[in-house]
Amino acid sequence: MRGLRMDHPRRGIADPDLAFPEALLQLRDTIPTITNTQEVPISNPTITPYNTGLNGVNQPNNMLFTDILWWTLGGLGVMILLIRIGQLAWAKLRLVSAMNTKGRQQHFWKVKQWSWMPGLKRSLIYAPLWKKRHNREIQLSSAVNMGTLPSRLQAAVLLVYLGSNLAYMFVLDWQQANKYALCAEIRGRSGTLSVVNMIPLIIFAGRNNPLIGLLNISFDTYNLLHRWMGRMSVFEVLIHFIAWAVVQVADDGWEGVKHKILYDRFISSGTVGVVAMFVILVLSLSPVRHAFYESFLNTHIILALVAFICTWIHCVSATVHGGLPQIPWVLAIFILWGAERFARVIRLAYANRSSRGYTTATVEPMPGEACRVTMHLPRHIPVRPGQHAYLRFAGLKPWENHPFSIAWFEHTYSPSSLPTYSSSSSSEKHPPGTTPTSTTVSFIIGAHTGFTRQLYNTARASPLGALTLRAAFEGPYAGHHSFDSYGHVVLFAGATGITHQLSYIRHLINGCNDRTACTRRITLVWIVRDHEVLEWIHPYMEQILRLPNRQEILRIKIFVTRPKTAMGVNVLSTSGTVQKLPGRPNVVTLLAKEQDEQMGAMVVGVCGPGGLGDDVRGAVRGMQGLGTVVDFVEESFTW
């Protein structure tokens, strides 16, 4: 019977009608098993769940540390704002009480300050990182520039912010037995922090950053914070990528990594963003950035946009329902970036186009390899002392724009049928019964390399001796330092740094005459290489020297460091208030003399090479604690 198992008499096996199908079934079960083992790896529950998505990611802690970072930045901003409000209130009180007082009668404000303030200025607020060097560039050779060092206060802020980033990134569950789960937690934390840092990164990069005026912090300081936040963001995104790659290699090998990068939109977009940010980091290294700054700037903007777009794609294409939780942050980045760019476009359109026409510029080559640029704006643009603007010229790399201090400005007026009122803070008299219709703005631009060299060579080659062309004026920016409440103002300038100081001089002399400023003594110290560069500011200085009461208020000392002919001390005015001297100034001696003759509170301002700024900074620090109020303001742009 077929239902019984019977041995075959010759083979000693079961009935072949039953045994053969059974063997096929066994073979069928064996073959697929071998195939799966060799070609399609089995998912490893210890590894696979942690190579994408939010598995293993400690999202509550990520959000906690994000909130702490935001509260840290917000708290710092509020603290600085309160200090700023206190400074403004104190300066306003000093201005109101002393603007009608003679210089020698401002003794109260000459000495009145908190007992701990001089030590704070000397040891923290004005202190360089180490001994003296701050804005003097570190030159390894004539071609290799390592940039500058932060001040002690800037370094403290950077240490707190960057140190907290590192601490938050490595507050992890180190007791986790599964190292791939730990990698997933690192991946989530580092990616979150990298995107969080992009928001202040984009705010601090903008020249229309509202915090500049609100907190009285210069764009140069925000630029420093931007660079270091960018480096931290790149470091964190590299950790993010490495943490993902470690798990992916363990799960699917390097071929699996390659396949994901090439064919998985989530991974490929993230990889392109990481590469873009890494290239930005390499190009932003100081020697590269200084050697090819104009190319770096354009490449930097393009790569940053690529990184932001890839971050957006990476977040929205995640397998997590609704995308990653960082999507609103990326959206905020695009809104902030777009708003800042839109503000630039509005400024450009408003300043350079009106019913009277377009902006034109006259470029005159000057001795000492410089240009005097006079821009004729088709509408009235208010300008304050200490401001700068970004300039573009048609036919001379119009896609590039560079900042230059405003040396001089004048407004054109037309009769008005409406009552007009002159602003007490204006540096130029407003004729009654008139309305300002247009503005002329002047700059002194030294010829270095790239754009400035091309501008100088083009102007010099002009057969008419000057070049007239279409141009664009974007600004003015900055100008948040007011010297009106100081009875004594000392201004140091090196070479083209004179442009920043000129606007203060006219404004303060007019303010003294109108009794809208406390200033009763101004000392200008200008360091130049040769006599010929005095031509740069000749038309502006002539107007200043003709101002009422100028001889009682203004003292000018011009130091010529490399005269082509031998010279002694020359007195250039009949009143003896303008002197030309050979060599370099002894900053400590000069400031000691000014402190002996101090009238009211004193401010010392400097604009010029980094070495000059460091010398003046060191001298002002040495003046702290000697019984008088001496403040310090440095105008610089470290790129």
Side-chain angles (χ1 to χ4, degrees):
M1 296 177 62
R2 293 186 177 272
L4 299 176
R5 181 179 181 88
M6 299 175 61
D7 292 338
H8 194 275
R10 288 179 296 174
R11 299 184 183 178
I13 60 174
D15 183 354
D17 292 333
L18 297 175
F20 187 67
E22 186 177 343
L24 286 177
L25 289 173
Q26 293 175 354
L27 181 61
R28 184 195 66 184
D29 294 337
T30 304
I31 291 174
T33 302
I34 296 173
T35 303
N36 285 339
T37 301
Q38 293 179 347
E39 298 181 5
V40 183
I42 298 175
S43 297
N44 189 328
T46 306
I47 303 175
T48 304
Y50 303 110
N51 63 6
T52 55
L54 297 179
N55 290 328
V57 174
N58 192 334
Q59 200 63 14
N61 275 0
N62 290 347
M63 295 300 104
L64 172 64
F65 292 130
T66 297
D67 291 341
I68 293 175
L69 266 181
W70 284 123
W71 280 106
T72 300
L73 281 176
L76 181 62
V78 170
M79 182 179 68
I80 296 174
L81 178 60
L82 293 176
I83 294 173
R84 169 66 170 152
I85 292 172
Q87 289 176 331
L88 288 174
W90 186 256
K92 189 67 174 179
L93 178 62
R94 186 167 59 199
L95 175 64
V96 171
S97 64
M99 62 186 181
N100 290 311
T101 305
K102 293 181 180 180
R104 297 299 177 189
Q105 296 175 352
Q106 296 184 24
H107 181 76
F108 175 83
W109 297 108
K110 174 182 176 180
V111 299
K112 182 60 178 177
Q113 61 182 328
W114 299 104
S115 59
W116 44 265
M117 184 57 73
L120 188 65
K121 290 178 183 177
R122 182 176 56 251
S123 302
L124 182 63
I125 299 176
Y126 301 154
L129 184 59
W130 300 121
K131 294 182 178 180
K132 181 179 179 181
R133 184 187 291 268
H134 172 50
N135 270 334
R136 183 181 180 183
E137 295 177 338
I138 302 172
Q139 293 277 160
L140 299 184
S141 69
S142 59
V144 180
N145 187 329
M146 294 300 293
T148 61
L149 294 174
S151 69
R152 198 168 295 171
L153 182 58
Q154 290 170 341
V157 173
L158 287 173
L159 181 63
V160 170
Y161 191 80
L162 300 181
S164 63
N165 263 265
L166 290 174
Y168 302 153
M169 188 160 55
F170 293 110
V171 177
L172 306 166
D173 183 10
W174 295 102
Q175 304 302 320
Q176 172 63 255
N178 186 342
K179 66 179 181 180
Y180 302 109
L182 182 61
C183 285
E185 188 177 2
I186 294 174
R187 171 170 55 83
R189 184 69 47 76
S190 56
T192 297
L193 291 175
S194 179
V195 178
V196 167
N197 281 317
M198 289 182 185
I199 297 178
L201 177 73
I202 204 70
I203 294 174
F204 294 168
R207 61 187 67 159
N208 289 287
N209 176 7
L211 298 177
I212 294 175
L214 185 64
L215 302 182
N216 195 24
I217 297 176
S218 68
F219 176 74
D220 190 60
T221 296
Y222 283 111
N223 202 18
L224 173 72
L225 296 175
H226 168 80
R227 289 196 295 269
W228 281 101
M229 284 183 173
R231 290 162 186 158
M232 177 55 70
S233 183
V234 175
F235 172 72
E236 288 165 342
V237 84
L238 289 174
I239 296 294
H240 179 72
F241 181 80
I242 292 170
W244 166 79
V246 167
V247 180
Q248 186 64 43
V249 170
D251 185 39
D252 207 9
W254 286 106
E255 284 298 320
V257 172
K258 177 181 177 182
H259 185 273
K260 287 274 190 179
I261 291 175
L262 293 178
Y263 301 109
D264 187 321
R265 186 173 65 170
F266 176 68
I267 300 300
S268 61
S269 59
T271 303
V272 173
V274 170
V275 171
M277 293 179 70
F278 181 73
V279 174
I280 289 176
L281 176 65
V282 173
L283 296 180
S284 67
L285 296 176
S286 191
V288 180
R289 187 175 75 248
H290 284 80
F292 311 100
Y293 182 71
E294 292 168 352
S295 299
F296 154 77
L297 193 59
N298 297 323
T299 306
H300 184 83
I301 295 170
I302 295 171
L303 289 175
L305 188 58
V306 169
F308 294 149
I309 293 173
C310 288
T311 303
W312 170 264
I313 296 173
H314 183 68
C315 290
V316 299
S317 60
T319 56
V320 180
H321 179 69
L324 295 178
Q326 288 78 17
I327 290 177
W329 306 345
V330 183
L331 182 61
I333 291 169
F334 279 107
I335 291 173
L336 291 169
W337 187 85
E340 205 280 330
R341 295 286 162 170
F342 181 71
R344 295 189 192 186
V345 172
I346 293 299
R347 278 180 176 267
L348 279 169
Y350 179 78
N352 298 287
R353 177 71 176 94
S354 77
S355 59
R356 298 179 184 85
Y358 299 89
T359 298
T360 59
T362 302
V363 185
E364 306 170 76
M366 291 280 110
E369 295 195 320
C371 293
R372 185 163 61 208
V373 177
T374 304
M375 303 192 79
H376 308 278
L377 308 182
R379 67 168 72 243
H380 170 73
I381 300 295
V383 181
R384 297 195 307 271
Q387 290 192 302
H388 64 266
Y390 290 79
L391 308 185
R392 304 170 189 262
F393 297 91
L396 295 173
K397 300 180 179 179
W399 59 88
E400 291 185 4
N401 58 99
H402 300 269
F404 300 99
S405 294
I406 297 174
W408 201 256
F409 65 92
E410 293 178 344
H411 300 302
T412 302
Y413 300 89
S414 62
S416 174
S417 58
L418 298 174
T420 59
Y421 302 92
S422 177
S423 170
S424 62
S425 62
S426 173
S427 296
E428 187 181 20
K429 299 294 185 179
H430 185 169
T434 63
T435 300
T437 56
S438 61
T439 299
T440 299
V441 188
S442 300
F443 306 83
I444 304 297
I445 301 176
H448 299 287
T449 59
F451 166 79
T452 56
R453 175 61 61 179
Q454 183 181 2
L455 179 67
Y456 173 74
N457 290 340
T458 304
R460 191 178 180 187
S462 174
L464 301 178
L467 182 67
T468 301
L469 69 167
R470 287 274 298 276
F473 171 98
E474 183 192 335
Y477 291 100
H480 45 270
H481 289 295
S482 173
F483 295 164
D484 291 2
S485 67
Y486 293 95
H488 202 129
V489 178
V490 183
L491 302 173
F492 286 85
T496 56
I498 187 64
T499 56
H500 182 263
Q501 312 296 29
L502 276 181
S503 58
Y504 279 108
I505 294 173
R506 177 173 63 167
H507 171 81
L508 292 173
I509 293 176
N510 284 335
C512 178
N513 290 327
D514 297 339
R515 290 299 185 262
T516 58
C518 301
T519 309
R520 301 297 180 263
R521 170 66 60 82
I522 304 171
T523 300
L524 172 66
V525 180
W526 187 22
I527 300 97
V528 297
R529 289 189 176 184
D530 200 7
H531 311 267
E532 59 186 7
V533 304
L534 302 182
E535 180 62 25
W536 294 354
I537 62 169
H538 182 262
Y540 317 134
M541 190 56 70
E542 276 194 338
Q543 294 187 51
I544 289 175
L545 295 178
R546 289 198 297 266
L547 289 174
N549 299 314
R550 190 276 311 169
Q551 295 181 1
E552 290 75 26
I553 303 169
L554 179 64
R555 304 285 186 271
I556 301 175
K557 298 179 184 293
I558 302 172
F559 288 85
V560 183
T561 60
R562 299 178 185 177
K564 295 180 179 178
T565 57
M567 61 171 289
V569 177
N570 294 331
V571 179
L572 303 183
S573 67
T574 55
S575 62
T577 57
V578 182
Q579 294 180 318
K580 187 167 63 174
L581 306 98
R584 298 182 181 277
N586 186 319
V587 176
V588 174
T589 302
L590 280 174
L591 286 179
K593 184 175 184 299
E594 295 296 325
Q595 193 172 25
D596 289 340
E597 302 173 358
Q598 185 172 337
M599 299 181 182
M602 178 190 292
V603 63
V604 179
V606 60
C607 182
L612 173 63
D614 290 351
D615 288 341
V616 176
R617 178 185 295 270
V620 171
R621 290 180 65 213
M623 298 167 70
Q624 304 302 320
L626 298 182
T628 65
V629 177
V630 182
D631 291 339
F632 174 73
V633 175
E634 181 176 15
E635 176 68 16
S636 63
F637 183 77
T638 54
W639 46 276

